[in-house]
Amino acid sequence: MKAKFLLTTVLTAAMLQGCKQAKPVEKIVACGDRTALIVQINPDTQEGEVVWQWNSADAKEQLPAEYQNRLRSLDDCKVVNNGKQLLITSSSDAAVLLDIATKTPLFYAHVPMAHSAEMLPGNRIVVALSTHPQGNSLEVYDADKSEQVLFRDSLYSGHGVVWMDRLQRLYALGFDELRAYTLKNWDTTMPKLELQQTWDLPTEGGHELLVTDHEGIYIFDTDTQQFTPFAPLEGIDNIKSANYYPATGQVVYTKAEISWWTHHLYSKNPEWTYTNENIKLYKVRTFGCH
């Protein structure tokens, strides 16, 4: 039987490389406003404790002054490079690669309406840009060369990007379509993303690569190329982020409850809710397999 590959902006390639997360995740990262948090979940009580926190003001001496304004609305915060770094995007026009231990920015770029990002082979970064006069696109950068765009392709309301290492493909989500790209001229100074295939979403408003849109959440099977409803979250509207571990059945997610944001992070299998009234939380990610 051929395997179904789930597109998720959290597990990314780990799922395809045989991630066998055999127990519920105990560490998560969430972001909103100017802040990213790492929360430790107690496996016995299912209660969460903030064990690390970063605010964009912490980096005002390490980044150009204009980044204080550009980092006022963090909207994604992926754990990358073996759990040592965070790849952060801000809808107020920035992307940052942050060292967790030292809280030092390793890379930064002015990216209009940045909505999600992903590490690519060769220490490169791709960012999805949502609706903005200079957005609606995908941009590729070298992680060691801040603010230097290497490649750009148009994508209306770019909202999610995931690199699937086993398939050697980048999946990118827009308003009403899912795209698959391969890497071209990747060992040169002029790399490109080459579009291989496009699929229409079940409904409009693509948001998260599990895949969510305005009306539901779906699994995309890369073998059959079909979208099917994702049963664990079926019927829950306005999902903003979702992380799925098939070995345990755990789903960690956020949903918009106050306008576009929430004060709550949720888990199924096991069931728990983490609440933080001080931050307008947007997305949650996990520290599982990488």
Side-chain angles (χ1 to χ4, degrees):
M1 184 176 69
K2 295 183 178 180
K4 289 184 177 181
F5 298 113
L6 310 183
L7 303 184
T8 131
T9 53
V10 184
L11 297 184
T12 63
M15 186 176 290
L16 301 185
Q17 293 167 345
C19 175
K20 303 296 184 182
Q21 179 78 14
K23 63 179 183 178
V25 295
E26 297 178 4
K27 189 183 291 186
I28 57 178
V29 59
C31 53
D33 295 335
R34 296 179 175 275
T35 302
L37 302 172
I38 294 177
V39 178
Q40 186 76 36
I41 303 297
N42 186 309
D44 297 320
T45 65
Q46 301 301 325
E47 295 179 349
E49 177 187 3
V50 175
V51 295
W52 180 94
Q53 182 169 318
W54 179 81
N55 186 288
S56 59
D58 297 341
K60 64 182 179 181
E61 303 299 329
Q62 301 166 310
L63 293 170
E66 58 268 26
Y67 276 81
Q68 286 304 300
N69 186 56
R70 292 173 182 171
L71 290 168
R72 69 183 186 274
S73 49
L74 308 188
D75 58 12
D76 206 353
C77 43
K78 289 185 183 177
V79 183
V80 298
N81 294 332
N82 299 311
K84 296 179 180 179
Q85 299 164 2
L86 285 184
L87 185 53
I88 296 171
T89 55
S90 168
S91 59
S92 41
D93 307 346
V96 172
L97 181 63
L98 188 73
D99 181 79
I100 292 174
T102 65
K103 299 185 180 180
T104 302
L106 306 174
F107 162 89
Y108 57 89
H110 175 210
V111 189
M113 199 59 174
H115 215 81
S116 187
E118 178 75 309
M119 295 299 301
L120 294 177
N123 201 36
R124 285 179 172 152
I125 295 171
V126 59
V127 186
L129 290 70
S130 189
T131 50
H132 186 282
Q134 285 81 49
N136 295 312
S137 62
L138 299 175
E139 291 185 350
V140 175
Y141 297 82
D142 272 335
D144 57 355
K145 297 179 181 178
S146 293
E147 300 195 309
Q148 297 183 35
V149 180
L150 300 179
F151 173 81
R152 198 172 195 270
D153 191 22
S154 62
L155 175 64
Y156 181 69
S157 189
H159 261 68
V161 277
V162 165
W163 170 251
M164 296 294 199
D165 194 59
R166 181 173 175 179
L167 301 179
Q168 290 292 292
R169 283 193 168 196
L170 173 73
Y171 288 86
L173 188 69
F175 179 73
D176 57 3
E177 63 179 331
L178 174 68
R179 294 181 181 180
Y181 290 87
T182 54
L183 309 183
K184 186 177 181 181
N185 301 331
W186 210 247
D187 295 328
T188 74
T189 57
M190 299 180 66
K192 296 181 179 180
L193 299 176
E194 188 168 78
L195 182 63
Q196 297 296 317
Q197 201 162 356
T198 300
W199 301 270
D200 293 333
L201 297 183
T203 58
E204 294 179 341
H207 192 275
E208 177 84 333
L209 273 168
L210 188 56
V211 176
T212 71
D213 57 26
H214 284 167
E215 297 183 16
I217 181 166
Y218 304 86
I219 291 173
F220 178 74
D221 186 327
T222 58
D223 177 42
T224 66
Q225 301 182 10
Q226 299 293 315
F227 294 92
T228 56
F230 180 61
L233 295 182
E234 194 168 5
I236 299 177
D237 295 330
N238 296 314
I239 298 292
K240 293 300 181 181
S241 60
N243 311 260
Y244 177 52
Y245 289 87
T248 62
Q250 185 176 16
V251 185
V252 180
Y253 66 100
T254 57
K255 59 181 178 179
E257 296 175 302
I258 308 169
S259 185
W260 45 265
W261 50 276
T262 180
H263 287 309
H264 308 295
L265 312 177
Y266 297 100
S267 171
K268 288 180 174 288
N269 300 318
E271 302 278 340
W272 53 255
T273 300
Y274 169 77
T275 300
N276 191 315
E277 299 286 352
N278 299 317
I279 303 173
K280 295 178 180 178
L281 297 168
Y282 190 62
K283 288 186 181 179
V284 61
R285 301 303 183 197
T286 66
F287 274 79
C289 304
H290 294 277

